[in-house]
């Protein structure tokens, strides 16, 4: 393969109204009352993955909050070691910023997509339950600044729904 899309984990800190426990560990535990999903990928998977990575042109990471999943960091480390020039895309809820996130950004210079589902604090936080609108906007600014320094676009993902359609024009 030349391109792979990864959804390695459902590790997530939010309980978004449009999501479910298959994609969010927080929903799975708190809203659905189910046990956490067991890790799906062990050492053998990552050993096998290391043989594919040098041949990939592109990879994207989605599902849960990618910057919370240990499996994603393990894959990113493999990319940094075996194919740092691959085109990497990461879709994030924008809640995470840490030294480890900065290391991934510097090592792989990924394109980042931040999910923004409201243009007011009330709408955003009622949809992205558990997120802080101000923190996400501050992190969006950080992602944009990183993208500008490295010639990478930062995109916004938006779930248009009855709860936020009146703010769609403001987003545009």
């Amino acid at each position: 393969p030349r391109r792979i899309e990864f959804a390695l984990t459902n590790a997530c800190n939010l309980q978004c109204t449009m999501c479910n426990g298959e994609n969010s560990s927080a929903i799975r535990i708190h809203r659905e009352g189910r046990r956490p999903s067991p890790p799906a990928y062990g050492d053998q998977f990552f050993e096998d993955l290391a043989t594919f990575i040098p041949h990939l042109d592109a990879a994207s990471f989605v599902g849960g909050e990618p910057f919370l999943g240990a499996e994603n960091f393990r894959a990113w480390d493999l990319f940094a070691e075996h194919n740092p020039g691959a085109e990497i895309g990461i879709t994030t809820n924008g809640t995470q910023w840490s030294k480890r996130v900065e290391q991934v950004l510097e090592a792989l210079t990924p394109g980042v997509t931040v999910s923004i589902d409201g243009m007011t604090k009330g709408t955003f936080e009622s949809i992205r339950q558990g997120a802080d609108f101000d923190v996400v906007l501050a992190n969006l600014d950080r992602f944009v600044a990183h993208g500008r320094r490295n010639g990478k676009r930062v995109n916004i993902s938006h779930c248009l729904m009855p709860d936020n359609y009146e703010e769609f024009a403001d987003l545009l």
Side-chain angles (χ1 to χ4, degrees):
R2 307 298 292 171
R3 176 181 174 75
I4 295 180
E5 181 171 301
F6 293 97
L8 297 175
T9 176
N10 72 343
C12 191
N13 54 332
L14 302 184
Q15 296 185 58
C16 302
T17 59
M18 66 293 214
C19 199
N20 61 47
E22 296 305 310
N23 297 310
S24 167
S25 58
I27 290 174
R28 184 177 179 91
I29 295 165
H30 302 293
R31 190 186 305 165
E32 297 175 355
R34 297 192 292 159
R35 299 180 77 161
S37 298
Y41 303 100
D43 292 337
Q44 187 63 53
F45 171 81
F46 290 99
E47 290 172 23
D48 293 344
L49 180 60
T51 64
F52 285 93
I53 286 178
H55 308 286
L56 295 173
D57 295 325
S60 59
F61 291 81
V62 299
E65 167 46 50
F67 290 119
L68 289 176
E71 295 88 345
N72 293 322
F73 284 102
R74 194 166 176 186
W76 293 327
D77 287 343
L78 289 172
F79 273 96
E81 181 180 349
H82 298 291
N83 191 353
E87 187 68 29
I88 304 295
I90 301 170
T91 299
T92 175
N93 64 27
T95 62
Q96 302 301 301
W97 191 270
S98 66
K99 288 290 183 195
R100 188 67 174 115
V101 169
E102 289 176 0
Q103 290 170 347
V104 169
L105 296 177
E106 291 306 316
L108 300 175
T109 60
V112 176
T113 299
V114 180
S115 298
I116 305 284
D117 296 311
M119 292 310 297
T120 62
K121 185 175 183 69
T123 299
F124 178 87
E125 291 179 1
S126 72
I127 294 169
R128 295 262 164 192
Q129 295 177 2
D132 182 310
F133 185 63
D134 299 321
V135 168
V136 171
L137 289 184
N139 289 341
L140 175 61
D141 287 343
R142 290 180 175 119
F143 287 121
V144 168
H146 179 270
R148 285 184 177 144
R149 284 192 307 274
N150 293 284
K152 296 290 182 164
R153 291 179 62 168
V154 173
N155 298 306
I156 292 177
S157 174
H158 180 81
C159 292
L160 186 61
M161 59 186 93
D163 294 345
N164 66 6
Y165 77 92
E166 292 177 343
E167 297 178 10
F168 188 60
D170 294 333
L171 174 68
L172 295 177

